[in-house]
Structure formats: C-alpha cells, structure tokens
Amino acid sequence: MIHALFSGFATFLLALALGEPIVRYLRRRRIGKQISEYLPEHQKKAGTPTFGGFIIWLPTLIVTAVAVDWWNHQSILLPLGMIAVTAAAGFVDDLGTLQDRRQGGLSWRFKLGFTAVFALGAAFVLYRYIEVESINIPYVGSYALGLFYIPLAAAIIVATTSAVAVSDGLDGLVGGTTLIAFIAYGIIGFIQGQEFVATFAFIIAGANLGYLWYNAHPARVIMGDTGALALGSSLAVVSLMTGQWLLLPLIGIIFVVEAGSNILQIGSYKLTGRRIFRRAPFHHHLELIGWAETQIVTRFWIIAIAAAMLGVALALEVPER
C-alpha cells in the first residue's frame, strides 16, 4: 500500500510539472475548444485549450513503466492498451471540435462501434488469460459466468466509456469523480492482494490530481475525449480486473445519473415529443435551474465520495466460497 501511495504521489508531482508546459504549448498554438451553440452560457469557455488528457496519460505511462512490475503482471498491459486506443479515438474527435475547423468530431455511432470492437477484445483477454469471469455479489458470494462473461464485460466497458465522456462538461467534474472512483478501486485491489492493480489505480488518481490543478474553475485546460474516453475505458477494465464490477454503477453513480439523463431525455423526446429535463445531461439541467457550476461539481464530488465509501464497504461483504 505504501508503494501504491508513493506512486500516486509521484504521478501527481509529474503531472503538475508537465501540465504547465503542455498548457502553454496549447495556448501558444491556439488549440482551443469550440463550444456548442446549444450551450450559450458556456460560450465564455470558447477557446480554452483542449487535449488536457495528455496531462493525465503521459505521467501515468511514465510512472507505470517504473513503479509497476508489469513483466510479472502483464495483465496491466490490458488497461494500458484500452487507454491507448480510446485516447487515440478521443484525440481524433477532439481535433474536429477545435475552433475554426471545418470538419466535425467523430459521430457517436462511430465512437460507440469503435469502442465496442476493442471492448470485445478486452473482454476476451479478461476471460481467457486473466481468468476473472465471476460475478461477486455482496452478502451472497462469487459465481462463475462462463462465456456469458465476455459480452457482459464488453458491455460494461462500452457503457462506462460512454458514460464518463457524457459527464465531461463542467470544470473539475469528470477529473474529480473518476479520481474518487480510482481511489476506491485502488483500495479494493489492495484488500484483494492485487497490489499491482492498486498501484495502477493510484497512479491514475495521482495523475488526475495533477490535471485538476489546471482544470479547476475557471479551467485553463479541458481534458476532451482524449482524457474522458480513456478514463472511462480504464476504469471499467480496472473494475473488471478486481471482479467488483457489479459495484461500478454505485462507485460511479454520477456517471450513471449523467448518462441515464441523456437516455431518458432522448427517449422521452422521440416517444412523446416532450423533454424531461431542461437540458441533458443532468449537470446542464441543474445549471438552468440556477445552480452554480462550482456548486454542482462540489456536490457531485460529495455524492461520489459517499457512494465510493459504500462501494468499498460492500466489496468487503462478498463471502469467500
């Protein structure tokens, strides 16, 4: 645990050190985010540098290479691989959302299909090579799922990746809530004796802390899909590696609420022609009813911390067979 915490702290310092030159470079090159015309209250953020995900992933890669014994724990290459492919897709998407760009970002259908293909591959690796095909139910026990685990794990990766990306819309929101979730799974990994998983989770948490230094309101940089898609996919894989993926909707409750509000809004409008929320996802609804951005983010963090504490407690309540 000491090694995991030191690794997380080292990643925080590295992210803090790399963040300033990255932000300066993005500003100098005028790599600014274009804000949707449907968000008039956010137009003041137009031009804020995007690609802030690099502040998370560069330190994560460097410290993981040094601090994690990946040669003896090659399964850690799986979440790293998912980070690589989803961050690459996010990078291409972010290119299309820059100011003064004629082409748009990637369509949600493409991102969904792209993620699904690699999610199936990741699910097969989890089943065939890492052998974590069980469902762990608090107070009940652990049960093997067999081949059904593969489509289920793939669906979890796709859903979590999309949900985290949907939640990214306010300064500090996704950075803070994923930070909390990774700390929770780091604790779970340590309790299970998977110290390399715990170390990796704390490394990403530390990188997130460094990123939040620059993303705190008013944000100097935005993570973009370069950060959000990779955070979602890696969080899903880490939860699957611990076997405690059933608790992911609780530990990541903010992502469930945000993505759920989007689904409900679209479904209601298509079926009835009426909207449930003033605007989706839910954080925009709260803005329109008068909540300040910092108030929304702080309260979402509070909810995320409480849910993470409950999630870790429930993870301890899975009886051994």
Side-chain angles (χ1 to χ4, degrees):
M1 189 64 171
I2 295 173
H3 176 71
L5 291 171
F6 271 124
S7 299
F9 180 70
T11 315
F12 161 68
L13 292 179
L14 186 57
L16 208 59
L18 292 176
E20 187 64 35
I22 288 175
V23 171
R24 286 182 179 178
Y25 173 80
L26 294 172
R27 284 190 177 278
R28 188 167 62 250
R29 297 296 299 271
R30 297 182 180 179
I31 303 176
K33 180 81 170 178
Q34 179 176 323
I35 304 299
S36 170
E37 60 183 9
Y38 298 106
L39 297 172
E41 66 276 12
H42 281 230
Q43 289 304 315
K44 60 181 180 292
K45 297 184 180 183
T48 303
T50 188
F51 298 122
F54 285 114
I55 299 175
I56 300 172
W57 302 126
L58 286 177
T60 294
L61 179 61
I62 293 169
V63 178
T64 299
V66 175
V68 177
D69 184 12
W70 56 270
W71 184 254
N72 291 318
H73 300 288
Q74 295 181 19
S75 58
I76 208 67
L77 296 176
L78 180 60
L80 284 174
M82 285 303 297
I83 287 170
V85 296
T86 50
F91 178 81
V92 174
D93 186 51
D94 288 339
L95 282 175
T97 63
L98 298 180
Q99 288 182 316
D100 304 321
R101 290 287 178 125
R102 292 182 180 180
Q103 77 274 21
L106 300 174
S107 70
W108 68 267
R109 289 185 179 87
F110 178 86
K111 287 188 284 187
L112 204 64
F114 179 88
T115 306
V117 170
F118 286 95
L120 278 171
F124 177 77
V125 172
L126 286 162
Y127 173 78
R128 178 68 176 81
Y129 298 102
I130 303 180
E131 299 178 350
V132 286
E133 44 137 347
S134 299
I135 179 172
N136 295 322
I137 307 174
Y139 304 106
V140 177
S142 180
Y143 301 91
L145 296 176
L147 286 172
F148 179 67
Y149 177 83
I150 295 177
L152 182 60
I156 291 168
I157 294 171
V158 172
T160 308
T161 303
S162 301
V164 172
V166 165
S167 304
D168 185 27
L170 301 180
D171 297 345
L173 178 54
V174 164
T177 48
T178 53
L179 162 68
I180 294 162
F182 274 109
I183 289 175
Y185 275 107
I187 294 170
I188 290 171
F190 177 75
I191 292 170
Q192 293 176 336
Q194 296 194 79
E195 294 175 2
F196 69 101
V197 174
T199 300
F200 183 69
F202 277 110
I203 285 171
I204 297 181
N208 254 350
L209 271 178
Y211 164 75
L212 283 171
W213 183 269
Y214 301 99
N215 185 241
H217 183 77
R220 294 178 59 196
V221 70
I222 297 170
M223 72 166 64
D225 275 356
T226 305
L229 291 178
L231 280 172
S233 65
S234 55
L235 176 61
V237 172
V238 166
S239 76
L240 289 161
M241 290 176 71
T242 64
Q244 295 291 353
W245 52 267
L246 191 63
L247 296 173
L248 184 55
L250 173 61
I251 293 174
I253 190 170
I254 296 301
F255 312 129
V256 175
V257 171
E258 293 279 76
S261 67
N262 245 15
I263 294 170
L264 288 173
Q265 186 86 323
I266 294 170
S268 175
Y269 187 75
K270 287 189 173 181
L271 291 174
T272 68
R274 297 180 179 178
R275 293 180 173 85
I276 299 174
F277 307 101
R278 292 193 179 185
R279 187 183 295 151
F282 189 56
H283 61 257
H284 288 316
H285 171 81
L286 294 175
E287 282 186 298
L288 291 179
I289 64 172
W291 287 34
E293 180 172 356
T294 51
Q295 186 179 35
I296 297 168
V297 172
T298 303
R299 287 180 174 173
F300 277 19
W301 284 4
I302 292 170
I303 294 169
I305 292 170
M309 289 192 295
L310 180 58
V312 172
L314 290 173
L316 297 174
E317 294 293 347
V318 179
E320 296 182 4
R321 296 180 64 186

